[in-house]
Amino acid sequence: MPSPAGTTRPEHRLTVIATLALLTILSWSWVVGVARAPGMSATMPMDMPGMEMTSTASAASLLSLFLMWVTMMAGMMLPAVLPAVLLFMTMARQRQQTNRAPLSVPAFVGGYLAVWIGFSALAALLQTRLSVALLDLAPGSRPMSLVAGALLLLTGAYQWTAFKASCLSHCRSPLAHFTAHWREGTSGALRMGLEHGTLCLACCWLLMGLLFVGGVMNPLWVGGLALLVLLEKVVPRGDIVGRIAGAGLAVWGVVLIVFARS
């Protein structure tokens, strides 16, 4: 029996939920599997002193690092985007776009993920350069503590800025933005996904940068950040949760800076 006009069929919603859940589970399974693999190091630099790497090997290492970041971002961000995807489905149905543009939902999700894929490429490049630049510094040394403390302090302060609040407000309730910037068809859905992903990235990019502090492939650290992002975007008064977390991160950063070993 067809659903009334302006509603989303339950089976369609379940399909989307199940698909995103499956992608999330697969992503996390891969992250945990790589983290537990013997001899694996996600922070290993590409160009280590004394090691000659061909351009092919270097490119392969960068590609592996890029895929690692893509998988992490998918596992962390797909649960948080689910409410926006379901809202998009409902609005598309109300506008009777789903029949004329059956790929609109995949296009929206694809646009959202494209933003995080771009971020993953930049993060992989940055990680390789940092690995080389910081290679001679021992873990826990004063310079390393200062860098980590500064990043924690910056991220904590960013959690309290008006710009962060504006981006988070969109992520938590994108209805007004979707209504004002609705675009028809599959290409329109792709563009809306790109816009939503960009605002989401602006909201979370510094939190993702903390992966360099706690370990890029540390499942507990990755999971903690993913949980914080999810709480910020989904639970009631998640904005307060984010600000409390920001205060904690800032204090942690100050402690690292003040008590950094000489």
Side-chain angles (χ1 to χ4, degrees):
M1 180 177 180
S3 299
T7 64
T8 303
R9 293 179 180 178
E11 61 270 24
H12 291 172
R13 294 174 64 90
L14 288 176
T15 298
V16 170
I17 293 172
T19 300
L20 295 186
L22 178 60
L23 290 175
T24 301
I25 292 171
L26 291 175
S27 298
W28 275 103
S29 297
W30 189 89
V31 169
V32 174
V34 170
R36 291 182 175 178
M40 291 298 295
S41 174
T43 59
M44 182 179 293
M46 291 174 55
D47 303 303
M48 298 179 66
M51 179 184 294
E52 294 184 0
M53 296 188 69
T54 65
S55 58
T56 301
S58 180
S61 298
L62 181 58
L63 177 60
S64 177
L65 198 59
F66 165 67
L67 294 176
M68 178 193 73
W69 273 95
V70 169
T71 306
M72 281 196 304
M73 293 303 100
M76 295 175 73
M77 303 310 300
L78 284 177
V81 79
L82 178 58
V85 174
L86 295 179
L87 174 63
F88 174 84
M89 286 181 63
T90 300
M91 295 182 68
R93 188 87 180 162
Q94 290 173 344
R95 294 168 179 264
Q96 297 181 341
Q97 290 299 303
T98 51
N99 292 332
R100 295 200 299 270
L103 296 179
S104 61
V105 174
F108 178 83
V109 177
Y112 177 84
L113 289 178
V115 173
W116 287 103
I117 290 172
F119 171 81
S120 297
L122 293 176
L125 288 171
L126 178 61
Q127 185 177 346
T128 58
R129 296 303 96 201
L130 286 177
S131 295
V132 174
L134 304 178
L135 184 63
D136 295 332
L137 299 180
S141 64
R142 179 175 176 79
M144 291 289 282
S145 296
L146 291 176
V147 170
L151 184 55
L152 286 164
L153 179 58
L154 178 63
T155 303
Y158 184 72
Q159 292 289 103
W160 287 79
T161 63
F163 183 73
K164 161 77 179 191
S166 176
C167 294
L168 180 58
S169 177
H170 164 81
C171 291
R172 288 178 54 81
S173 181
L175 176 60
H177 182 86
F178 285 179
T179 301
H181 300 89
W182 187 268
R183 294 177 175 85
E184 307 291 358
T186 302
S187 61
L190 175 64
R191 184 169 176 180
M192 289 178 65
L194 289 169
E195 292 173 351
H196 184 70
T198 300
L199 288 168
C200 185
L201 175 61
C203 177
C204 302
W205 70 280
L206 270 174
L207 286 174
M208 298 301 105
L210 292 183
L211 289 168
F212 292 112
V213 174
V216 172
M217 288 298 289
N218 182 333
L220 293 178
W221 190 252
V222 176
L225 289 175
L227 179 60
L228 174 57
V229 169
L230 184 63
L231 292 176
E232 270 193 329
K233 296 178 183 297
V234 175
V235 303
R237 299 319 313 240
D239 54 332
I240 295 179
V241 174
R243 291 191 175 192
I244 293 174
L249 292 171
V251 171
W252 186 4
V254 170
V255 170
L256 282 180
I257 292 172
V258 171
F259 294 99
R261 294 187 298 177
S262 302

